[in-house]
Amino acid sequence: MTDARALRAYAHPTRMRLVGLLRAQGPRTATQAADLINESVASCSYHLRMLAKYGLVETAAGGRGREKPWRATARLTQWPTHSPEPAVAEAAEAVELAAVERYSELLSAAIETRRSLSRDWQEAGGISDVLLYLTAGELSAIQQQIDALLRPFEARETRPDSRPPGARLVQVIRAGFPVPRVTASGPAGQRRGQPGRRAGPPTWQRQGMEQCRPHRRRTAAGRAWATPQERSRQRRTRQQRARQQ
């Protein structure tokens, strides 16, 4: 995906959740999706239409209106990590920041529910990191090797009969990046006069969020840029309210 407008449209937490839901669970209507991600039907319907506008989802057979099912058009979304076009580079950065926020939510949820799993699954999963001195070529080679390691298991997504007993859906989150050089004034590239300050979303993204009525209140409260702990509390609150309704 290299169109700046499409990237900006995708750089939204609810839209990422919807695309992820359709990829993991197959076609769903706006009503079904709303129940699964704790959003309103109107909000899901709006965001699904926006995703369809840029080819990220499409209508599936059957149903009509809000009861028509939607499906993802691809099993993954790729975007450039480098572009000579400033608009594309900025939009791609916004997508990655939104993706990191989503990954943080998923990891927090996995940790919070881990004790409900069997011992073998608790020990199989985990989070780790390592610091290595690498060249850019070596980092690219490692990424390719990881792709090759995972590729044999990808066919199981569309071939349930190839899944061995006990197999379940697992998410593998991968990241590799140069550690920012730290100077006396802070990490390289940090704005002067704002030590340690976390940058908010780009101006165009703030404006787009403000124009999106279903998310105006939540965005104004900083939901998309909350810390993992704040998001965890917000998620528990939404779940409690849903149970009370």
Side-chain angles (χ1 to χ4, degrees):
M1 186 163 55
T2 58
D3 181 78
R5 293 172 299 177
L7 288 166
R8 289 197 293 267
Y10 188 53
H12 189 287
T14 299
R15 293 172 192 169
M16 284 192 169
R17 293 170 69 195
L18 284 168
V19 172
L21 173 68
L22 298 181
R23 287 174 179 166
Q25 300 192 22
R28 290 290 186 274
T29 66
T31 300
Q32 292 170 331
D35 183 57
L36 291 169
I37 68 172
N38 294 321
E39 292 286 344
S40 70
V41 176
S43 171
C44 286
S45 181
Y46 169 79
H47 289 300
L48 285 166
R49 292 196 305 272
M50 290 300 297
L51 289 167
K53 179 179 179 180
Y54 295 101
L56 291 163
V57 304
E58 63 185 8
T59 55
R64 62 178 59 182
R66 288 182 178 174
E67 296 309 313
K68 62 185 177 185
W70 297 84
R71 65 185 176 194
T73 56
R75 64 176 303 274
L76 55 85
T77 303
Q78 294 179 313
W79 54 85
T81 54
H82 168 76
S83 174
E85 300 179 29
V88 174
E90 183 181 8
E93 180 180 310
V95 170
E96 289 200 321
L97 288 172
V100 168
E101 293 286 341
R102 180 60 183 150
Y103 295 154
S104 179
E105 289 180 353
L106 292 169
L107 286 168
S108 296
I111 293 170
E112 291 170 356
T113 59
R114 181 170 52 197
R115 285 184 291 176
S116 65
L117 301 174
S118 61
R119 178 175 177 177
D120 58 340
W121 277 110
Q122 290 187 51
E123 294 178 344
I127 303 171
S128 65
D129 75 301
V130 62
L131 291 172
L132 303 170
Y133 280 92
L134 303 170
T135 65
E138 288 170 335
L139 179 57
S140 295
I142 289 174
Q143 302 277 29
Q144 294 171 7
Q145 291 169 13
I146 294 174
D147 285 338
L149 182 65
L150 299 177
R151 195 168 295 119
F153 302 97
E154 294 176 356
R156 295 180 181 179
E157 181 180 1
T158 56
R159 294 180 52 197
D161 59 324
S162 67
R163 302 169 191 169
R168 61 180 296 172
L169 191 62
V170 172
Q171 183 152 15
V172 178
I173 298 173
R174 191 180 74 208
F177 51 88
V179 176
R181 291 188 176 91
V182 179
T183 64
S185 59
Q190 181 173 291
R191 299 176 184 175
R192 291 189 176 184
Q194 298 178 328
R197 179 177 178 180
R198 184 184 185 185
T203 301
W204 60 260
Q205 190 178 19
R206 291 197 300 269
Q207 293 172 343
M209 288 179 176
E210 291 168 358
Q211 293 170 2
C212 179
R213 291 186 177 180
H215 288 271
R216 179 178 295 175
R217 183 177 301 174
R218 294 185 180 182
T219 306
R223 179 189 178 206
W225 301 94
T227 65
Q229 293 80 7
E230 291 170 338
R231 288 194 302 276
S232 179
R233 288 195 297 270
Q234 292 169 358
R235 182 170 59 254
R236 287 194 295 269
T237 300
R238 290 196 301 271
Q239 292 171 347
Q240 291 172 356
R241 289 175 178 172
R243 286 193 293 267
Q244 293 172 356
Q245 291 177 352

